[in-house]
Amino acid sequence: FAASASKQGGNARDVDSMGVANVAKAIQQLNQEQQQEQEQEQCKLVLISALALDRPDSKGYKVTNSMGGYVDKIMDYKLEGERAVESILGGNKNKNNHNNYVIVRPGVLLSGKTRNGAVDLEVNQGDTIGGGLSRDELAGVCVGAMMNGAARGVTVEVIERVP
């Protein structure tokens, strides 16, 4: 799920906070239904978010958050959306959901395609990196997060490693 406010799709609050929370609730409901039917497979949300959400005093956060219009406070609302996902689908409070989410915080989306595939990516936690990556690299990270059963209940930052 790639949440992002747009002229055609709604403002930051509606899309990046409330929309994300609604998707998490729908997944929670679907997983509860699957559990009642004793199905083994649970649905997992892979949310594409943004770097710097844990650094509200950073220049990138402040500039992006104060662009005004339909994207006004977008960083605040993306963080609200992430927190909603963690609360709704997190395993600590909701034993039936088993941490059925991965939050991916990509760097700036770059034009062009990957040069060397995943070998050029840096995956980190703790919101301490900056940089960018191509859209096809981001797509590969998201597919990997969906396919990997062990990737649950985590937030990761991803950028292209600079040679």
Side-chain angles (χ1 to χ4, degrees):
F1 183 80
S4 192
S6 69
K7 288 180 185 177
Q8 295 81 21
N11 65 37
R13 180 177 174 269
D14 292 345
V15 175
D16 295 283
S17 179
M18 294 172 56
V20 169
N22 287 338
V23 169
K25 289 174 188 173
I27 290 172
Q28 179 186 44
Q29 178 66 36
L30 183 59
N31 285 341
Q32 288 170 347
E33 291 170 8
Q34 287 177 326
Q35 189 172 25
Q36 289 173 353
E37 295 173 12
Q38 298 183 350
E39 292 182 26
Q40 296 294 322
E41 205 57 39
Q42 294 261 303
C43 295
K44 177 171 38 173
L45 173 61
V46 177
L47 174 66
I48 301 171
S49 190
L51 280 181
L53 290 183
D54 290 333
R55 296 179 280 139
D57 293 329
S58 70
K59 183 178 179 180
Y61 188 107
K62 288 178 180 179
V63 168
T64 305
N65 209 41
S66 62
M67 292 193 303
Y70 59 89
V71 293
D72 193 41
K73 298 185 179 177
I74 193 167
M75 299 294 274
D76 293 342
Y77 291 125
K78 281 187 179 293
L79 186 58
E80 274 185 21
E82 284 189 11
R83 297 298 174 251
V85 167
E86 293 166 345
S87 175
I88 295 164
L89 297 176
N92 294 336
K93 297 177 187 170
N94 304 297
K95 63 182 178 178
N96 296 333
N97 281 306
H98 310 292
N99 289 313
N100 287 321
Y101 70 89
V102 175
I103 298 170
V104 178
R105 293 176 172 174
V108 175
L109 297 178
L110 305 173
S111 297
K113 293 192 176 200
T114 181
R115 293 178 310 223
N116 296 317
V119 297
D120 279 342
L121 295 182
E122 180 178 340
V123 179
N124 205 336
Q125 288 186 296
D127 207 359
T128 60
I129 60 175
L133 75 161
S134 66
R135 286 168 173 77
D136 67 317
E137 289 169 323
L138 175 57
V141 169
C142 292
V143 169
M146 287 188 304
M147 302 293 287
N148 185 336
R152 293 187 176 280
V154 296
T155 300
V156 295
E157 294 80 33
V158 184
I159 61 169
E160 187 176 277
R161 199 175 301 141
V162 178

